[in-house]
Amino acid sequence: RVKEQGRNGFSFYSPEMNDYVLGRLEVEQQLRGALEHNEFCMHYQPIYCLNRKKVIGAEALIRWNNPSLGLVSPEQFIPVAEQTGLILPIGEWIIREVCEQGVRWRHSLDEDYRIALNVSPRQFRDGQIVPVLLRIFEETGFDPSCLEIEITEGLLVRNDDSTAQTLSQLKSLGISLSMDDFGTGYSSLSYLKQFPFDVIKIDRTFVRDLADDPGDQQLVTAALAMAKGMGLKVIAEGVENQFQMDFLASAGCDALQGYYLGRPVTAEEFQEKIIPPAEFRKMLEV
Ligand code: C2E
Ligand code: MG
Ligand code: MG
Ligand code: MG
């Protein structure tokens, strides 16, 4: 959209930008009280294993319901939380929630189930992520080998020693590392070589048009071949239909995530609808 031009031919303000700035400040203001007012909730989206034909875990995704802003997408508030540092207390809350939930599901999912947790770069940078995780594992009894930490290239761009060190510490605790939104950044390949990833998650922008974009088909096929060669598992994100599922299955993808397999739902719904009933019964006996 063409903006109104100022005297010098440039205009720094447009009504939308102003809205954006106001929106951001309001988001920040509301975000400050959100933990205290219990406005967050974790949703869980099933991850489906193509080989075993069953759900093998979930990705934990935060939801924020604010009385004045309504439901705010994490795409909108996570960056604000990052910039303000609020991601530190919020991130810690997320880890605790996920670990407590993981312990409750311990008996109803397979032994090797995984819960995937998104961690923001800022959570890594203050050197607190490892001690925070250790404390929460201790408090909750959660088994670190059931945790998969998803990180995006944003973390690796700075590429300092401390990042590499933290990642290998996480690995040595038994946590798996996955590269989220694979293929959307500039240097995914070189990061795969440098850091000890276990899993790549093919971004949903490559999955979306699989049915009619031969280029995307080639890309996904190549990414899968490469990942196999490197001994990595591949999860495809954003699977919304049978075509995508069939294509990814025959291309050798390990696991799928997307609305076709199941939307993100509350822990209660996940337990009722996603976890296989027989195993759910077993869990109730415990
Ligand atoms: P992400 O980690 O790549 O998460 C996947 C996103 O794709 C989620 O959006 C999920 O709801 C959405 N999705 C899943 N299947 C489909 C599908 O079939 N079609 C479409 N169109 N979308 C699908 P969501 O929950 O809005 O989260 C957006 C992003 O916000 C996440 O992207 C992640 O980067 C961030 N985020 C979410 N929860 C957390 C969290 O707890 N901590 C941190 N640090 N970031 C989070
Ligand atoms: Mg993710
Ligand atoms: Mg992703
Ligand atoms: Mg994403």
Side-chain angles (χ1 to χ4, degrees):
R1 174 169 173 263
V2 181
K3 295 187 186 106
E4 258 183 60
Q5 307 253 299
R7 209 183 315 172
N8 54 5
F10 283 98
S11 163
F12 289 102
Y13 288 98
S14 70
E16 313 150 63
M17 280 170 78
N18 210 12
D19 280 351
Y20 174 73
V21 172
L22 285 176
R24 194 203 172 282
L25 280 178
E26 213 181 353
V27 166
E28 178 177 341
Q29 229 165 30
Q30 295 299 321
L31 205 52
R32 294 196 178 275
L35 261 184
E36 202 184 316
H37 300 132
N38 262 316
E39 292 168 10
F40 295 116
C41 156
M42 296 311 290
H43 279 198
Y44 297 86
Q45 184 175 30
I47 296 177
Y48 178 87
C49 174
L50 281 163
N51 250 329
R52 288 151 69 184
K53 297 192 171 25
K54 65 190 286 191
V55 172
I56 45 158
E59 177 173 3
L61 295 159
I62 194 167
R63 296 293 176 255
W64 180 28
N65 195 355
N66 176 265
S68 66
L69 300 176
L71 267 177
V72 187
S73 151
E75 310 255 21
Q76 225 183 318
F77 75 81
I78 291 288
V80 179
E82 275 257 320
Q83 286 152 21
T84 53
L86 288 166
I87 194 66
L88 297 173
I90 296 171
E92 194 169 324
W93 178 87
I94 294 169
I95 296 169
R96 182 170 285 101
E97 275 291 305
V98 164
C99 289
E100 285 172 353
Q101 193 56 61
V103 168
R104 278 181 225 121
W105 281 336
R106 188 165 43 185
H107 301 289
S108 47
L109 287 165
D110 280 358
E111 220 159 87
D112 54 352
Y113 82 94
R114 292 265 193 299
I115 300 189
L117 174 77
N118 295 283
V119 176
S120 294
R122 179 82 176 253
Q123 292 176 269
F124 272 81
R125 297 238 165 93
D126 71 341
Q128 287 302 298
I129 186 78
V130 172
V132 165
L133 283 166
L134 284 173
R135 177 159 45 79
I136 295 176
F137 293 152
E138 172 103 29
E139 285 168 12
T140 58
F142 182 83
D143 174 358
S145 63
C146 296
L147 192 64
E148 195 161 280
I149 288 188
E150 298 191 0
I151 57 184
T152 52
E153 277 194 30
L155 173 69
L156 309 171
V157 167
R158 266 187 25 175
N159 194 6
D160 46 23
D161 289 348
S162 74
T163 305
Q165 219 180 331
T166 304
L167 292 178
S168 50
Q169 277 177 293
L170 296 177
K171 290 277 293 192
S172 66
L173 293 173
I175 296 169
S176 312
L177 295 180
S178 93
M179 184 186 273
D180 205 352
D181 304 341
F182 179 79
T184 57
Y186 294 105
S187 316
S188 310
L189 292 180
S190 77
Y191 293 137
L192 278 187
K193 209 181 102 182
Q194 284 175 62
F195 300 104
F197 285 101
D198 303 281
V199 178
I200 64 177
K201 296 190 78 170
I202 296 183
D203 192 69
R204 67 169 187 267
T205 53
F206 301 103
V207 172
R208 192 181 47 213
D209 305 320
L210 269 181
D212 29 47
D213 189 334
D216 283 348
Q217 297 184 2
Q218 298 275 353
L219 249 155
V220 167
T221 307
L224 277 158
M226 181 214 61
K228 283 255 157 77
M230 296 179 76
L232 300 167
K233 296 253 177 259
V234 179
I235 302 176
E237 302 191 290
V239 178
E240 294 185 352
N241 58 52
Q242 186 71 44
F243 179 91
Q244 293 163 339
M245 181 162 168
D246 293 341
F247 182 91
L248 292 159
S250 55
C253 200
D254 299 285
L256 305 179
Q257 185 181 345
Y259 296 165
Y260 194 60
L261 290 311
R263 288 183 179 255
V265 293
T266 63
E268 292 72 27
E269 275 179 277
F270 191 88
Q271 190 154 311
E272 279 164 28
K273 295 180 186 152
I274 312 283
I275 294 177
E279 309 192 46
F280 180 38
R281 278 199 300 276
K282 195 171 93 197
M283 189 204 71
L284 288 177
E285 289 159 15
V286 175

